[in-house]
Amino acid sequence: MRSIRVHNASAHGFTDLSVANVAFGSLTSGETSEYRRVSMTFRYAVVKLTADGRSITGQTLNLGAQRFTYRIDIVDLDAGQLAIEVVREE
């Protein structure tokens, strides 16, 4: 099990946010979630969210840390393109 949190680095609010099938709920622009325990058996995690009524799905790598933050930005809302930075924490 890993502890992860999500930071919304975009100008859009997120709803229905989940990472690796763990619900994170809604995050306003600039907001960071609380840590959640997530079981990640693969080297990647699926990120799902809704922004401005558009459903977006992306993937991110699991870098092996036990605790980290995903900084998620929307690069192109119409194309559903995300930029996800993984910030490892000790």
Side-chain angles (χ1 to χ4, degrees), residues 55-57 74 76-82:
S55 295
I56 302 173
T57 301
I74 297 175
D76 186 333
L77 182 61
D78 292 331
Q81 185 179 5
L82 300 175

Side-chain angles (χ1 to χ4, degrees), residues 34-69:
E34 296 294 321
Y35 284 98
R36 301 255 194 310
R37 302 284 288 165
V38 176
S39 176
M40 299 174 79
T41 56
F42 300 105
R43 294 202 50 122
Y44 64 90
V46 174
V47 175
K48 296 180 181 180
L49 61 91
T50 301
D52 289 344
R54 291 186 161 91
S55 295
I56 302 173
T57 301
Q59 281 186 341
T60 185
L61 289 175
N62 167 7
L63 298 179
Q66 293 300 310
R67 188 174 167 109
F68 48 91
T69 300

